[in-house]
């Protein structure tokens, strides 16, 4: 069965993000998460803590301050692609 690598760009609702990541990775898929640098630091910490033991979830190494309709909405994509590239062996397995 094919595995999917999801990219999640988000800025709020840490409980919803955690639930979505757990559901999508439970079947062996992968998720890259970028959490807007403008968002609440406590929300980001909550997401990181909840998903830190999930090997199928990675986080952007550099968080970008995103603006609606701006380049910043896609500026984080190369970093997330590299993160999944590091996991290439598992994705192809």
């Amino acid at each position: 069965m094919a595995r999917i690598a999801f990219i999640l760009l988000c800025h709020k609702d840490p409980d919803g993000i955690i639930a979505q990541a757990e559901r999508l990775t439970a079947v062996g898929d992968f998720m890259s998460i970028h959490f807007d640098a403008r968002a609440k630091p406590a929300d980001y910490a909550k997401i990181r803590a909840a998903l830190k033991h999930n090997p199928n979830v990675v986080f952007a190494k550099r968080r970008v301050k995103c603006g609606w309709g701006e380049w910043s909405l896609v500026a984080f994509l190369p970093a997330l692609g590299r993160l999944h590239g590091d996991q290439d062996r598992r994705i192809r397995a």
Side-chain angles (χ1 to χ4, degrees):
M1 182 169 188
R3 290 184 175 178
I4 300 169
F6 294 94
I7 296 173
L8 186 63
L9 168 62
C10 46
H11 66 277
K12 62 181 179 179
D13 191 15
D15 294 324
I17 294 164
I18 293 164
Q20 185 175 34
E22 289 173 343
R23 278 192 310 271
L24 293 173
T25 61
V27 296
D29 291 329
F30 300 89
M31 178 172 283
S32 292
I33 296 175
H34 175 272
F35 196 72
D36 192 336
R38 295 181 195 271
K40 296 177 185 176
D43 287 350
Y44 181 62
K46 181 177 184 176
I47 296 165
R48 293 289 304 235
L51 299 173
K52 70 180 176 183
H53 296 296
N54 187 331
N56 291 353
V57 174
V58 294
F59 292 87
K61 291 180 181 178
R62 183 176 64 88
R63 293 172 57 208
V64 176
K65 290 182 179 180
C66 297
W68 184 252
E70 295 180 9
W71 168 249
S72 58
L73 290 175
V74 294
F76 68 93
L77 288 173
L80 290 177
R82 283 191 295 277
L83 287 173
H84 275 298
D86 294 343
Q87 295 181 350
D88 193 47
R89 292 182 309 274
R90 289 190 303 153
I91 293 172
R92 292 184 186 195

